[in-house]
Amino acid sequence: NAGVTQTPKFQVLKTGQSMTLQCAQDMNHNSMYWYRQDPGMGLRLIYYSASEGTTDKGEVPNGYNVSRLNKREFSLRLESAAPSQTSVYFCASSVRDSVYEQYFGPGTRLTVT
Amino acid sequence: GIQVEQSPPDLILQEGANSTLRCNFSDSVNNLQWFHQNPWGQLINLFYIPSGTKQNGRLSATTVATERYSLLYISSSQTTDSGVYFCAVLREETSGSRLTFGEGTQLTVNP
């Protein structure tokens, strides 16, 4: 049981480039989430998917898009990266909605120059 | 939205010491979790504790929902306990719900 996996672990982009962060879980969870963590701060929710086929904005959605590809996979896309998106990105999942315990992946460290 | 305050922001201990970390929140909650972020950045679930008391080895947590706070106790600290401890809470609302994180307590345990 790998839990929540994320790829890549590290990425460096130039301003204006695009990329997709991948997330997968093997716990048969219905809900999945994307967070960002800036230095010295807690995590902030970007987007979440309460169930397959649904996505909703979180606290900081601007500049991002998401796709819930199937029950296992939830991807985060940066269409035109900006230096303000330099951060560590975490994916998480839970059995059902946010009321249930969330389990986190190892994170992706993204630098935009 | 709901506010989460953690204290102290920084804590330095000698190995073997005990400590208490506090999390205050501004409204009633449906979910409260404690996490440990190790020096490599990995987030480790410690407790899912919207109310009551739980223990896991040297760690225990208590949430008093009616008074809107939670405490994390670390006994006989070890150097591997170093890292950042986050409290995160959720309040279900008609407009949606999200886990709101505090800013964390940076713990350093010296040998």
Side-chain angles (χ1 to χ4, degrees):
Chain A
N1 222 6
V4 180
T5 57
Q6 294 181 235
T7 55
K9 287 188 169 50
F10 301 93
Q11 183 72 47
V12 179
L13 292 178
K14 293 189 191 313
T15 297
Q17 288 185 316
S18 62
M19 80 160 295
T20 300
L21 281 63
Q22 305 286 353
C23 173
Q25 51 90 12
D26 62 1
M27 296 178 282
N28 201 33
H29 284 173
N30 288 298
S31 301
M32 298 184 73
Y33 315 85
W34 277 106
Y35 293 85
R36 61 178 285 173
Q37 183 181 28
D38 299 317
M41 295 179 66
L43 281 68
R44 292 182 293 168
L45 184 66
I46 305 171
Y47 270 94
Y48 66 101
S49 171
S51 61
E52 189 178 352
T54 69
T55 59
D56 286 286
K57 295 179 181 178
E59 184 182 0
V60 289
N62 291 344
Y64 306 95
N65 286 303
V66 290
S67 295
R68 183 74 183 266
L69 304 169
N70 48 54
K71 190 172 184 178
R72 289 188 64 246
E73 298 172 291
F74 189 37
S75 63
L76 178 72
R77 182 159 178 84
L78 286 70
E79 291 291 351
S80 179
S84 61
Q85 294 178 304
T86 294
S87 190
V88 180
Y89 291 84
F90 288 94
C91 177
S93 70
S94 63
V95 169
R96 197 161 56 83
D97 53 41
S98 299
V99 175
Y100 291 82
E101 186 172 7
Q102 292 188 23
Y103 297 86
F104 284 77
T108 294
R109 188 173 296 274
L110 175 66
T111 302
V112 183
T113 62
Chain B
I2 195 164
Q3 306 297 315
V4 182
E5 292 182 359
Q6 291 188 243
S7 60
D10 297 280
L11 186 59
I12 300 175
L13 301 174
Q14 286 299 121
E15 205 167 20
N18 303 327
S19 62
T20 300
L21 282 57
R22 187 177 180 102
C23 172
N24 291 332
F25 42 96
S26 60
D27 210 335
S28 59
V29 297
N30 304 100
N31 176 357
L32 188 148
Q33 292 184 241
W34 281 99
F35 297 92
H36 174 213
Q37 188 166 39
N38 64 23
W40 296 270
Q42 186 181 7
L43 274 168
I44 299 162
N45 288 37
L46 296 178
F47 294 101
Y48 169 74
I49 186 167
S51 64
T53 297
K54 290 187 178 179
Q55 179 149 12
N56 185 3
R58 295 182 296 104
L59 273 59
S60 64
T62 295
T63 298
V64 184
T66 53
E67 297 187 23
R68 300 180 186 167
Y69 72 89
S70 184
L71 302 174
L72 178 69
Y73 305 95
I74 305 174
S75 65
S76 304
S77 58
Q78 300 176 357
T79 56
T80 52
D81 294 331
S82 294
V84 183
Y85 289 80
F86 288 106
C87 164
V89 302
L90 179 140
R91 176 180 168 80
E92 276 196 300
E93 297 167 351
T94 53
S95 57
S97 56
R98 66 171 188 261
L99 207 56
T100 300
F101 281 74
E103 294 196 351
T105 292
Q106 174 77 56
L107 174 65
T108 303
V109 181
N110 292 321

